[in-house]
């Protein structure tokens, strides 16, 4: 009988000092954008006195509220491993539908764009989840279809529908509480609900599982197809709602907005730490990503000598840096 002590292998997860760096890397992926945002805000407040004012903060939050609602839906789509290129056109279509329906009251002005845009999201989800088509192709087709429907409703942009002045619907987009617009409060409420859905419900856990591995999720008995359909419906609903709120703020259904908005939403989501391949992400990170892009745009305006085109350059640089960092962190986690 062998009385010599045998060596026992220590699992990597229990090795001394391995948990600390792993947690630090995960925290960097999730909250790194918040640290950058705070640093930019603090430094900019000293460099540009007008930047740190309450009025400027109110302006930034109102401008960013519509994109943030669209980006919330995009977050859920990307977490499941999909993509939605139609949100910019759906956002514009929602605004036109809301302005057109506002002549019959606030309820139609909200319900019509939500129903129509939700239906577009439903078609996207069914084609992706049930027909097995590529999300890129499906949502690209929806982008063109939504923009074409918008042009048909406005007679090639010649007709602009106006929101009745002084109506409840107009107040929904232009009213304030404590100096901050109703769209800001609505966006914050939606993000709170979105965070609860992702972290505290079975639907949220299904989103992460489907994004991590759809095949594994199927073997676990999760409703993969239903989850994919739901996230595209939510994306369409939120884009339509954002468009309706924007129409209420502008008092009209503007036809030329929303071009490239899908790229801004994707950039904000990825900068916020959500993996493009799916399976990981958070709504709080998306909120910080949207705010960071808005702060960059505001700083460009503060400088004055730079035009708005530089925002795209800076946003693209941030996006490349974040994607490279995500790949590096993923390799470190695997090793």
């Amino acid at each position: 009988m062998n009385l010599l002590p045998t060596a026992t292998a220590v699992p990597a997860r229990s090795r001394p000092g391995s948990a600390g760096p792993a947690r630090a890397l995960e925290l960097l992926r999730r909250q790194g954008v918040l640290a950058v945002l705070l640093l930019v805000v603090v430094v900019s407040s000293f460099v540009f006195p007008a930047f740190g004012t309450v009025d400027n903060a109110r302006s930034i939050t109102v401008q960013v509220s519509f994109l943030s609602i669209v980006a919330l839906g995009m977050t859920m789509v990307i977490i499941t491993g999909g993509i939605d290129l139609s949100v910019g056109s759906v956002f514009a279509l929602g605004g036109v539908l809301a302005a057109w329906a506002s002549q019959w009251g606030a309820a139609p002005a909200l319900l019509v764009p939500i129903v129509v845009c939700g239906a577009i999201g439903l078609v996207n989800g069914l084609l992706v989840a049930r027909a097995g088509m590529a999300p890129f192709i499906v949502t690209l087709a929806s982008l063109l279809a939504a923009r074409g429907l918008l042009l048909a409703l406005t007679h090639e942009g010649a007709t602009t529908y106006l929101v009745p002045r002084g109506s409840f619907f107009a107040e929904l987009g232009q009213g304030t509480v404590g100096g901050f617009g109703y769209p800001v409060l609505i966006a914050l409420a939606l993000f709170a609900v979105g965070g609860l859905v992702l972290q505290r419900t079975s639907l949220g856990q299904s989103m992460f599982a489907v994004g991590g591995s759809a095949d594994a999720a199927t073997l676990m008995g999760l409703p993969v197809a239903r989850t994919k359909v739901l996230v595209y419906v939510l994306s369409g609903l939120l884009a339509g709602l954002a468009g309706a709120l924007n129409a209420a703020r502008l008092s009209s259904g503007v036809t030329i907005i929303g071009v490239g908005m899908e790229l801004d939403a994707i950039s904000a989501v990825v900068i916020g730490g959500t993996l493009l391949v799916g399976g990981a992400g958070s709504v709080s990170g998306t909120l910080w990503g949207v705010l960071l892009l808005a702060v960059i745009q505001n700083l460009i305006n503060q400088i004055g000598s730079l035009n708005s085109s530089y925002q795209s350059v800076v946003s693209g640089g941030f996006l490349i840096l974040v994607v490279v960092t995500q790949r590096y962190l993923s390799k470190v986690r695997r090793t």
Side-chain angles (χ1 to χ4, degrees):
M1 182 174 60
N2 185 10
L3 299 179
L4 294 177
T6 58
T8 303
V10 179
R13 61 185 178 188
S14 62
R15 288 173 186 164
S18 63
R23 281 196 293 267
L25 290 174
E26 184 65 15
L27 182 63
L28 176 62
R29 184 186 67 80
R30 291 185 175 184
Q31 302 299 338
V33 64
L34 177 58
V36 174
L37 174 62
L38 292 176
L39 178 62
V40 172
V41 168
V42 171
V43 172
S44 301
S45 298
F46 284 103
V47 177
F48 303 102
F51 176 83
T53 62
V54 176
D55 289 339
N56 191 50
R58 290 170 178 167
S59 176
I60 291 176
T61 54
V62 170
Q63 292 173 5
V64 83
S65 58
F66 310 108
L67 175 61
S68 64
I69 294 174
V70 175
L72 175 60
M74 184 70 75
T75 302
M76 297 183 181
V77 172
I78 293 180
I79 285 177
T80 61
I83 200 75
D84 190 352
L85 300 179
S86 67
V87 291
S89 295
V90 172
F91 169 81
L93 176 62
V96 169
L97 290 171
W100 170 75
S102 64
Q103 58 187 310
W104 294 289
L110 290 173
L111 289 177
V112 170
I114 288 177
V115 171
V116 173
C117 296
I120 294 175
L122 176 62
V123 172
N124 288 339
L126 290 174
L127 290 176
V128 171
R130 300 295 184 182
M133 297 179 64
F136 182 90
I137 300 300
V138 171
T139 57
L140 179 61
S142 296
L143 177 155
L144 299 175
R147 187 66 65 174
L149 179 58
L150 179 154
L151 293 175
L153 289 173
T154 60
H155 306 95
E156 301 296 329
T159 302
T160 300
Y161 299 103
L162 301 179
V163 175
R165 292 183 178 274
S167 63
F168 175 76
F169 180 62
E171 181 66 16
L172 191 63
Q174 301 169 14
T176 60
V177 175
F180 291 90
Y182 287 147
V184 177
L185 303 180
I186 294 172
L188 291 176
L190 289 173
F191 267 82
V193 173
L196 290 175
V197 169
L198 278 180
Q199 301 298 330
R200 302 296 181 183
T201 67
S202 58
L203 174 60
Q205 299 309 306
S206 296
M207 291 181 192
F208 287 112
V210 170
S213 174
D215 293 336
T218 301
L219 293 175
M220 292 169 60
L222 296 177
V224 175
R226 186 172 65 187
T227 300
K228 289 183 177 182
V229 172
L230 281 175
V231 295
Y232 282 100
V233 171
L234 286 173
S235 181
L237 288 173
L238 290 172
L241 175 61
L245 292 175
N246 187 62
R249 179 166 180 79
L250 299 177
S251 296
S252 64
V254 182
T255 60
I256 59 174
I257 61 174
V259 178
M261 192 179 198
E262 61 279 354
L263 301 180
D264 292 334
I266 294 171
S267 298
V269 172
V270 176
I271 289 173
T274 299
L275 299 180
L276 268 177
V277 294
S282 67
V283 297
S284 61
T286 296
L287 182 59
W288 309 140
V290 171
L291 286 173
L292 180 59
L293 293 179
V295 166
I296 292 172
Q297 174 64 51
N298 190 265
L299 288 176
I300 291 174
N301 296 334
Q302 295 281 340
I303 294 173
S305 59
L306 300 176
N307 58 49
S308 59
S309 300
Y310 284 92
Q311 182 196 13
S312 300
V313 176
V314 177
S315 300
F318 266 108
L319 185 59
I320 292 174
L321 177 62
V322 169
V323 172
V324 171
T325 303
Q326 286 181 353
R327 287 182 60 86
Y328 172 75
L329 292 179
S330 298
K331 290 181 179 179
V332 172
R333 289 172 62 189
R334 287 196 298 266
T335 56

